[in-house]
Amino acid sequence: MEKSCLECGDPFKGRIDKKFCSDHCRNAYNNKVNKDSKNLIRNINNRLRKNYRILDSFALKEGKTKTSRTRLLDKGFDFDFITNLYTTKKGTTYYFVYDLGYLPLDNDYYMIVKRE
């Protein structure tokens, strides 16, 4: 039984459930189908990676350091992109990007910490 490829339309022979004439056509088709969701995920991951690199650029002394909001923003930090929150027993909330986090302090300062 001869079928036509879902991507290029060329006829091909093969298994009854085969849909594409080659791996190239299969990959091209699936890339088109998943384009929108992959772009969203790629953009979010890029944003998280950038935030992580910014937090990692600060030299930590004993696992922490202090910086200003302005300095973080000047480096391009986006406070909307974090991976998780950690709330202590006292009710203090740390915002984490993977294993690096920050704690909002008074006067627009932040303490940057590394989770061990």
Side-chain angles (χ1 to χ4, degrees):
M1 181 171 158
E2 205 166 274
K3 295 179 156 187
S4 41
C5 178
L6 291 179
E7 175 63 17
C8 67
D10 288 350
F12 65 90
K13 293 181 181 178
R15 290 189 345 231
I16 196 159
D17 60 341
K18 192 171 178 182
K19 299 177 184 177
F20 304 99
C21 63
S22 67
D23 285 338
H24 173 75
C25 281
R26 180 179 49 82
N27 286 330
Y29 179 85
N30 286 321
N31 285 340
K32 281 185 206 172
V33 169
N34 297 322
K35 182 179 175 182
D36 294 336
S37 64
K38 284 185 181 179
N39 279 339
L40 174 65
I41 293 166
R42 185 180 305 117
N43 291 338
I44 291 170
N45 285 337
N46 287 339
R47 197 62 248 174
L48 288 170
R49 239 187 331 270
K50 184 173 182 183
N51 276 356
Y52 186 85
R53 281 193 304 269
I54 292 167
L55 292 175
D56 197 36
S57 71
F58 291 94
L60 303 179
K61 295 174 189 154
E62 298 175 13
K64 60 185 177 181
T65 191
K66 190 174 165 184
T67 190
S68 68
R69 179 180 180 86
T70 306
R71 191 160 173 215
L72 286 169
L73 291 172
D74 286 347
K75 290 184 173 223
F77 193 82
D78 189 337
F79 288 92
D80 292 331
F81 290 88
I82 60 170
T83 55
N84 61 308
L85 298 172
Y86 175 71
T87 305
T88 64
K89 291 178 183 174
K90 294 180 180 178
T92 307
T93 302
Y94 288 82
Y95 301 84
F96 277 89
V97 180
Y98 304 113
D99 65 335
L100 293 173
Y102 59 91
L103 171 68
L105 303 171
D106 294 334
N107 300 322
D108 273 345
Y109 277 90
Y110 289 86
M111 181 169 54
I112 298 173
V113 297
K114 181 169 181 102
R115 185 182 298 169
E116 296 300 323

